[in-house]
């Protein structure tokens, strides 16, 4: 019997890669969504300042950190009061809490981040997958969403919670504003609660790219989750936050979420509240770091995009975050010569025969027969802080020697992947 409680595939693979690398195996690791940015000295100072905060604080977070987050959302066209905010040790507990407190089943894009579905199933929620359009991910096709809801209800399900990811993990794209408006219209018609996972919002490769949060279009039914794991590369510090709607439904959701928090994590650690308070106020050092990080992420993602498309894949152009989601369907026959027929064998072949670790599309709720996988391009920035500092500061980061070396190795691997057995790549 298969145990339904299994380690998240991204975390399990990350630990496997670490063990194999420590044993001396030269692997290119592209399977883990870590920002790999150096930490500004000022942020380290804020952590030191906060280290004396050893007392338990309010479950939702103290007034300072919630006010800082309220101002952060104000600057993003979302007027917010501190009473709408809850902070937590990462955005994952907040997402899971919402799965727990919202009565009803869950609608997810296909593909979508690996954690959403397991969290929903832990609470006995049915999960309904809705395909994304060809041009973007992160939000389902509006027409397919409406049809999926009606089919689910006909089958006795009660879909109530729609999860969006803006910008998207795994495709690295941003739905256009009109697509978000259409999805919000469906949510209004069908009485859905929207959870908008916006942890990558501050990593738009083009700062002028139009971005519409569903909280702007459907303010009374949208919860936003965010954090500092991606924009500042503070994944191990576990700083997350949620913004709840104003009104009766928002108040009830927040109250229930705080109740879950009181029984599970008690409060965000005091030192991390200090960091969050300062970072979400966005002093110059933070805004400059956001811009530099987005520039680095965009440059390297575009370079890898060129590699996979040259190797024969179809791939959406990256717009935000640090991911790509190539589809090798056009070269299926060449891959078949290597025993690759689906995303499981594709992930395995890349790792075992070409030394490249990726996460197959089956982990993201995609069709397991498809030849798709996610690449985390941020893992190419260097093995230590000094290399990452150089990549971050470079005008042309993909030409930085250590990054260029990794890109060259990837080019060889992807060309070998799609070359037939009788072809010398």
């Amino acid at each position: 019997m298969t145990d339904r409680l299994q380690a998240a595939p991204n975390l399990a693979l990350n630990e496997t890669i670490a063990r194999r690398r420590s044993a001396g195996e030269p692997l290119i690791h592209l399977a883990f969504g870590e920002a790999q940015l150096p930490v500004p000295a000022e942020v380290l100072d804020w952590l030191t300042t906060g280290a004396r905060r050893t007392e338990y604080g309010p479950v939702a977070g103290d007034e300072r950190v919630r006010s800082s987050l309220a101002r952060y959302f104000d600057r993003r066209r979302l007027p917010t009061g501190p009473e709408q905010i809850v902070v937590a040790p990462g955005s994952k507990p907040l997402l899971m809490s919402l799965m727990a407190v919202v009565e009803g089943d869950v609608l997810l894009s296909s593909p979508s981040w690996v954690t959403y579905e397991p969290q929903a199933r832990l609470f006995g929620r049915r999960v309904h997958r809705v395909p994304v359009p060809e041009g973007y991910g992160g939000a389902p096709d509006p027409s397919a969403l409406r049809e999926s809801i009606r089919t689910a209800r006909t089958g006795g399900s009660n879909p109530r919670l729609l999860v969006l990811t803006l910008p998207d993990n795994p495709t690295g794209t941003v739905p256009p504003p009109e697509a978000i408006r259409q999805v919000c219209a469906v949510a209004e018609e069908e009485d859905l609660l929207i959870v908008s996972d916006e942890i990558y919002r501050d990593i738009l490769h083009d700062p002028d790219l139009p971005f519409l949060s569903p909280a702007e279009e459907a303010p009374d039914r949208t919860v936003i989750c965010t954090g500092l794991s991606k924009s500042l590369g503070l994944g191990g510090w576990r700083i997350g936050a949620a913004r709840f709607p104003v009104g009766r439904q928002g108040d009830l959701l927040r109250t229930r979420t705080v109740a879950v928090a009181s029984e599970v994590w008690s409060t965000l650690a005091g030192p991390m509240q200090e960091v969050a308070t300062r970072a979400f106020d966005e002093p110059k050092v933070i805004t400059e770091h956001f811009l530099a990080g987005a520039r680095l992420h965009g440059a390297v993602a575009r370079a890898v995009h060129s590699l996979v498309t040259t190797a024969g894949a179809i791939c959406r152009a990256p717009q935000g975050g640090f991911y790509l989601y190539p589809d090798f369907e056009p070269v299926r026959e060449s891959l078949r010569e290597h025993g690759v027929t689906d995303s499981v064998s594709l992930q395995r072949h890349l790792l075992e025969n070409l030394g490249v670790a990726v996460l197959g599309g089956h982990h993201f709720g995609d069709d397991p027969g498809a030849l798709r996988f996610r690449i985390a391009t941020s893992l190419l920035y260097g093995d230590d802080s000094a290399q990452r500092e150089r990549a971050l500061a470079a005008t042309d980061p993909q030409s930085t020697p250590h990054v260029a070396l990794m890109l060259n190795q990837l080019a060889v691997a992807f060309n070998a992947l799609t070359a037939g057995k009788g072809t010398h790549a």
Side-chain angles (χ1 to χ4, degrees):
M1 183 175 66
T2 301
D3 192 338
R4 71 187 183 97
L5 295 177
Q6 298 180 348
N10 57 332
L11 293 166
L13 184 56
N14 189 53
E15 293 180 8
T16 297
I17 300 307
R19 287 194 298 271
R20 292 174 64 161
R21 278 180 157 182
S22 66
E25 196 171 344
L27 298 174
I28 301 176
H29 186 8
L30 304 175
F32 195 63
E34 190 161 17
Q36 293 280 43
L37 296 176
V39 182
E42 292 86 347
V43 177
L44 295 174
D45 290 342
W46 300 340
L47 181 62
T48 301
T49 299
R52 294 181 176 82
R53 295 180 55 173
T54 58
E55 71 282 355
Y56 285 94
V59 175
D62 67 30
E63 178 75 21
R64 287 178 63 233
V65 71
R66 289 185 292 108
S67 294
S68 177
L69 273 147
R71 291 189 292 271
Y72 167 88
F73 285 113
D74 285 344
R75 292 189 292 273
R76 285 155 180 80
R77 305 187 303 271
L78 292 166
T80 305
E83 70 283 355
Q84 293 174 249
I85 302 295
V86 175
V87 295
S91 60
K92 266 175 125 174
L94 291 162
L95 288 161
M96 190 166 187
S97 297
L98 288 162
M99 298 285 187
V101 304
V102 176
E103 297 293 335
D105 299 317
V106 179
L107 294 151
L108 298 178
S109 298
S110 181
S112 62
W113 183 45
V114 300
T115 289
Y116 300 141
E117 181 167 348
Q119 285 188 339
R121 295 199 182 281
L122 280 173
F123 295 103
R125 312 299 188 207
R126 295 187 195 179
V127 173
H128 301 280
R129 291 279 182 174
V130 189
V132 299
E134 290 186 5
Y136 61 83
D141 178 270
S143 298
L145 175 61
R146 185 177 282 106
E147 184 62 29
S148 294
I149 293 167
R150 291 172 184 172
T151 299
R153 288 176 178 159
T154 300
S157 185
N158 178 29
R160 289 296 316 285
L161 185 64
L162 171 64
V163 182
L164 310 179
T165 318
L166 313 173
D168 183 37
N169 172 9
T171 67
T173 59
V174 180
E178 183 53 33
I180 296 300
R181 292 188 186 98
Q182 291 179 29
V183 166
C184 288
V186 176
E188 293 279 359
E189 292 168 16
E190 305 293 348
D191 193 24
L192 305 178
L193 176 74
I194 300 171
V195 174
S196 185
D197 185 349
E198 298 183 12
I199 199 158
Y200 297 95
R201 174 162 185 172
D202 295 315
I203 313 178
L204 294 177
H205 301 165
D206 177 359
D208 295 324
L209 182 72
F211 182 97
L212 181 68
S213 171
E216 296 178 71
E217 192 70 18
D220 60 341
R221 62 177 64 248
T222 302
V223 179
I224 298 175
C225 290
T226 189
L228 298 177
S229 297
K230 312 304 180 181
S231 57
L232 280 184
L234 302 180
W237 291 14
R238 311 309 302 138
I239 299 171
R243 176 194 183 273
F244 290 83
V246 171
R248 182 177 177 276
Q249 179 173 237
D251 291 344
L252 180 61
L253 286 170
R254 185 179 183 276
T255 297
R256 289 178 172 177
T257 299
V258 171
V260 171
S262 71
E263 303 293 355
V264 179
W265 66 82
S266 299
T267 185
L268 176 61
M272 301 313 164
Q273 291 203 41
E274 186 68 29
V275 172
T277 300
R278 310 251 192 149
F280 281 111
D281 262 341
E282 297 182 297
K284 184 178 180 183
V285 64
I286 294 299
T287 56
E288 290 180 347
H289 197 71
F290 282 173
L291 289 171
R295 184 175 63 247
L296 171 61
H297 295 314
V300 176
R302 287 190 295 273
V304 180
H305 181 267
S306 177
L307 296 183
V308 295
T309 53
T310 298
I314 300 168
C315 189
R316 299 174 181 88
Q319 298 173 298
F322 36 80
Y323 301 116
L324 295 169
Y325 198 67
D327 184 350
F328 281 82
E329 183 62 33
V331 289
R332 179 177 284 275
E333 292 308 311
S334 295
L335 269 62
R336 193 185 302 276
E337 294 185 36
H338 300 287
V340 173
T341 58
D342 55 19
S343 64
V344 174
S345 55
L346 178 54
Q347 176 183 317
R348 182 172 58 246
H349 178 70
L350 278 164
L351 178 59
E352 302 301 337
N353 298 311
L354 298 174
V356 178
V358 299
L359 270 183
H362 57 288
H363 294 301
F364 298 89
D366 204 348
D367 174 6
L371 298 173
R372 295 188 278 267
F373 57 83
R374 190 197 70 178
I375 299 172
T377 60
S378 54
L379 298 180
L380 297 171
Y381 303 158
D383 294 328
D384 55 42
S385 293
Q387 287 187 338
R388 294 165 192 161
E389 288 278 7
R390 287 197 293 274
L392 186 67
T395 303
D396 191 23
Q398 68 271 31
S399 299
T400 305
H402 64 277
V403 177
L405 176 63
M406 296 293 285
L407 291 172
N408 287 336
Q409 292 175 356
L410 266 185
V412 171
F414 287 136
N415 288 335
L417 171 67
T418 56
K421 281 192 172 182
T423 305
H424 296 287

